[in-house]
Amino acid sequence: VRGSCVPREEGRGDGMGPLGRSGVVLLTYVLAALELTCLFMQFSIMPYLSRRLGLDSVAFGYQQTVFGVLQLLGGPVFGRFADQHGARAAFTLSFLASSALYLLLAAACIPALPGVALLFASRLPGALMHTLPAAQMVIADLSTPEERPAALGRLGLCFGVGLIFGSLLGGTLSSSCGIQCPVIVALVVTLLGALLSVTCIPASTKGASVHAQTTLPGKPKASVFDLKAITRLLLQPGVLPVFLVKVICGLPIGLFMVMFSIISMDFFRLEAAQAGYLMSFFGVLQMVIQGLVIGRLSSHFSEGALLRASVLVFSVVGLAMALMANVFHFCLLMPGLVFSLCALNVVTDSMLTKAVSTSDTGTMLGLCASVQPLTRTLGPTLGGLLYRSFGVPVFGHVQFAVNFIVLLVLWKQPVPRKMDRAQ
């Protein structure tokens, strides 16, 4: 069709269609920003919608846990689907799942319908809402190993945009137009994202890499739900140690962030608006550090050095968190905290995608994407137990101890400076 963005057989030799490689990368960043904006719009209204439907804090925690478990289970499966069916199918599936979630949420806002049942049902499509891993797969496929940390780091700009504008729009629209307004806007935006995915994203980005692998003739394609094929990636050389560093070092700060809403009220004594300003500051820091700083550092230092630096800063920040007494102290620690978090995520994602073949980057990133839902699943119970028993300083103590031990292991057995793709 004339004027369509769908890639054609003829045209550009890179297989990226009329948009070209740079155009596809730019569109990928835009789609990720749109999805994250809608996601944070949803997060901003969920407590108020739950309260309007008569749910207490325990029931609200249950639906949060259900969402985390579904994303935890769906991440690796979605990644394998993306590897087998391509970027276009992955983006489209994720945006359609998001549309289904927002449609169910919009229905839950209608008084004549069973709101609580629809609210819990809206968590189900969350298993397939993985636009960010899909974007990471495209960026990894279309970037050289040297460019990859900086290219993946720019997704931090998308996250910051989503955090700032999503939270702002969610609060503004719900206050001025009703609680269902942000949900309807998110529904329209995700449907637009699905349309852009179908028309402008190439069917596959795997062929863009010289390392792309092809399926052997006569060999049947493995199932999307093949758990052996998914866990096989973790047993490849150099993968499991880096993945364990990602999980172990990210768990303590993940527990703190899960409990942050309670800590901001009880320990920092912040009002809702003040807590929102603090999260906006966090989003701006992440935009600057992940979008600009990490890319520059990756061109001057090896990934192994950046990984050790992130763990070292995590340890120092953890020790300082154990001593902080007010929100001003926390604001002073936030740049170091955000640097460690961004460097850990970007560097480990880059190293892990280099350690596997191009045909498995989606599955690998799906496994990486399951780390955060794992924290959201364990966090409310484990974090709440630690907070009630020992108070806020325990999060700093745990973060310092865990990261210091990991740092000693990394210094004794350093990560290889360059992890070549498996052939």
Side-chain angles (χ1 to χ4, degrees):
V1 178
R2 186 177 300 274
S4 174
C5 299
V6 177
R8 298 169 293 185
E9 294 293 333
E10 67 275 11
R12 295 183 181 267
D14 57 6
M16 297 295 103
L19 288 180
R21 184 186 297 251
S22 59
V24 171
V25 170
L26 178 59
L27 178 60
T28 298
Y29 288 132
V30 171
L31 291 175
L34 289 176
E35 169 64 17
L36 289 167
T37 300
C38 294
L39 189 64
F40 281 104
M41 285 173 62
Q42 178 217 173
F43 288 160
S44 67
I45 67 165
M46 284 300 295
Y48 303 98
L49 178 58
S50 299
R51 182 180 301 175
R52 196 175 94 169
L53 295 175
L55 297 181
D56 57 14
S57 59
V58 176
F60 177 73
Y62 287 157
Q63 62 94 10
Q64 292 288 84
T65 301
V66 168
F67 187 74
V69 170
L70 288 170
Q71 287 223 306
L72 171 65
L73 298 177
V77 174
F78 180 88
R80 188 153 179 80
F81 174 87
D83 282 333
Q84 292 190 359
H85 298 279
R88 184 191 301 165
F91 269 111
T92 304
L93 177 62
S94 179
F95 274 109
L96 289 178
S98 300
S99 300
L101 182 144
Y102 298 126
L103 180 62
L104 289 170
L105 273 184
C109 296
I110 301 176
L113 298 177
V116 174
L118 289 169
L119 179 65
F120 275 89
S122 70
R123 305 298 89 190
L124 298 178
L128 301 175
M129 289 175 56
H130 294 282
T131 301
L132 188 57
Q136 290 174 321
M137 182 192 73
V138 173
I139 300 302
D141 289 341
L142 299 183
S143 60
T144 64
E146 293 76 18
E147 298 171 340
R148 188 162 307 154
L152 290 173
R154 292 187 194 103
L155 284 171
L157 291 172
C158 303
F159 188 91
V161 168
L163 175 60
I164 295 172
F165 287 98
S167 302
L168 179 63
L169 287 173
T172 303
L173 292 176
S174 61
S175 299
S176 58
C177 305
I179 200 169
Q180 73 282 355
C181 185
V183 179
I184 296 174
V185 171
L187 174 61
V188 174
V189 171
T190 51
L191 288 175
L192 175 62
L195 180 61
L196 289 173
S197 301
V198 171
T199 56
C200 298
I201 294 294
S204 177
T205 53
K206 302 297 182 183
S209 171
V210 296
H211 299 282
Q213 293 182 337
T214 56
T215 304
L216 296 176
K219 183 179 179 180
K221 183 182 289 188
S223 169
V224 170
F225 301 97
D226 188 351
L227 296 181
K228 291 183 179 179
I230 295 174
T231 55
R232 169 182 56 83
L233 294 181
L234 295 176
L235 302 179
Q236 292 190 12
V239 171
L240 188 58
V242 177
F243 187 78
L244 288 177
V245 170
K246 183 181 184 71
V247 174
I248 294 172
C249 292
L251 182 60
I253 186 58
L255 295 178
F256 177 80
M257 295 307 295
V258 166
M259 298 299 298
F260 182 75
S261 59
I262 295 178
I263 292 173
S264 64
M265 289 188 297
D266 296 344
F267 186 75
F268 294 143
R269 304 295 181 181
L270 298 181
E271 300 293 337
Q274 296 171 325
Y277 295 148
L278 189 60
M279 290 306 297
S280 296
F281 178 51
F282 184 91
V284 171
L285 282 176
Q286 181 160 356
M287 287 178 64
V288 173
I289 293 175
Q290 186 168 332
L292 302 176
V293 176
I294 300 298
R296 293 179 181 273
L297 291 177
S298 65
S299 62
H300 294 87
F301 300 96
S302 68
E303 291 176 332
L306 288 176
L307 182 60
R308 288 191 291 272
S310 69
V311 178
L312 174 61
V313 177
F314 256 142
S315 300
V316 175
V317 170
L319 188 60
M321 285 175 61
L323 302 175
M324 69 179 180
N326 52 53
V327 68
F328 177 71
H329 294 163
F330 181 65
C331 289
L332 294 178
L333 297 177
M334 282 184 73
L337 184 64
V338 174
F339 167 79
S340 302
L341 193 60
C342 293
L344 177 71
N345 289 332
V346 171
V347 171
T348 52
D349 287 350
S350 177
M351 297 175 75
L352 290 170
T353 54
K354 292 177 184 178
V356 300
S357 66
T358 306
S359 59
D360 290 324
T361 53
T363 307
M364 190 70 256
L365 289 167
L367 286 169
C368 293
S370 66
V371 174
Q372 188 177 9
L374 174 64
T375 305
R376 287 204 306 265
T377 302
L378 300 176
T381 301
L382 182 57
L385 179 63
L386 290 173
Y387 180 65
R388 286 195 301 270
S389 302
F390 304 103
V392 172
V394 71
F395 296 104
H397 290 138
V398 172
Q399 181 170 315
F400 169 75
V402 169
N403 284 275
F404 185 73
I405 293 173
V406 172
L407 183 64
L408 293 179
V409 173
L410 288 178
W411 232 282
K412 186 177 180 180
Q413 298 178 342
V415 180
R417 292 187 64 183
K418 185 176 180 180
M419 297 176 67
D420 295 324
R421 281 189 179 277
Q423 298 298 321

